Amino acid sequence: SSFAALMGLFGLYLAVAGILVGIGVLIQIRRSEGQLSGTGLAVVGIILSAKFLGWGAYFQYTDYVNELPPGYVRVNFPKQIAEKQFIIEDNQRKIHPDVEPFVDQRIYLKGYVWDSRVSENMTEFVLLKDNGECCFGGDPAPHDMIVVRMNDGKTFDYSTGLIGVAGTFRANPNPPLGESVYVMEADHVARAKTVF
């Protein structure tokens, strides 16, 4: 299980579990007063789990740092945009003050592609804040989705996993019927290297 730490966040949890199980085994062996053996194997397991935990954490950190394209600000879509929702004043919808600083700025955020009829060479798609209750199987709220439009003739193929999008973030709180409040003019779209 320790090798799995190199394969993502879940692997780090497995490595921690490997350390805890190894410690638990050592305690049981010592309490058995010689009836159980395997101290060497338990120690080796703990050491390997600890090493893979360290390497896995390092790789996750470097992936997190390197997935952000130069010149973009990292934004957490669920927490910094979707959760803020909108402000209603005089029966008009307005962008939340915490979201306004991102408007017309080059940002990088992550989300999930909403299922569409086209799956290859997409020039436009809808990005959702998550792949859970908010959106799949129903209509997402306007603050839970962003229309992504690829710049310069670029395309993207449908992916079920978490993706990262870098581009210029636009907002129109009262768009024409059928238009999205949030639009990302995307320069770069790719599978996310990390889940956070």
Side-chain angles (χ1 to χ4, degrees), residues 69 72 106 118 120-125 148-157 164-168 184-190:
Y72 293 86
R106 290 162 47 109
V118 179
E120 294 181 348
N121 300 317
M122 295 185 295
T123 57
E124 182 175 308
F125 59 89
V148 177
R149 295 187 179 129
M150 304 296 292
N151 282 336
D152 303 323
K154 295 176 183 170
T155 62
F156 180 71
D157 292 341
V165 180
T168 304
M184 180 79 92
E185 297 169 0
D187 303 312
H188 171 80
V189 178

Side-chain angles (χ1 to χ4, degrees), residues 8-126:
L9 194 58
F10 181 69
L12 297 179
Y13 294 133
L14 285 180
V16 170
I19 293 170
L20 296 175
V21 167
I23 291 170
V25 168
L26 276 180
I27 291 170
Q28 291 288 0
I29 291 171
R30 294 220 170 124
R31 286 183 180 166
S32 73
E33 297 178 356
Q35 293 180 357
L36 298 175
S37 62
T39 300
L41 286 176
V43 169
V44 167
I46 292 169
I47 291 170
L48 285 175
S49 291
K51 283 188 175 186
F52 281 110
L53 176 63
W55 290 335
Y58 171 75
F59 290 138
Q60 285 289 299
Y61 171 75
T62 55
D63 281 347
Y64 178 79
V65 170
N66 292 327
E67 74 182 348
L68 180 65
Y72 293 86
V73 174
R74 186 184 300 271
V75 174
N76 186 306
F77 181 10
K79 294 192 179 305
Q80 293 181 279
I81 295 176
E83 279 184 12
K84 301 302 179 181
Q85 301 190 14
F86 303 113
I87 304 296
I88 305 297
E89 290 180 2
D90 301 324
N91 293 324
Q92 289 287 314
R93 180 167 54 194
K94 295 189 176 181
I95 302 301
H96 193 284
D98 292 347
V99 177
E100 287 210 5
F102 306 133
V103 177
D104 300 328
Q105 300 301 311
R106 290 162 47 109
I107 67 170
Y108 174 81
L109 47 72
K110 297 177 187 177
Y112 295 86
V113 179
W114 198 13
D115 197 12
S116 67
R117 288 183 289 256
V118 179
S119 61
E120 294 181 348
N121 300 317
M122 295 185 295
T123 57
E124 182 175 308
F125 59 89
V126 176

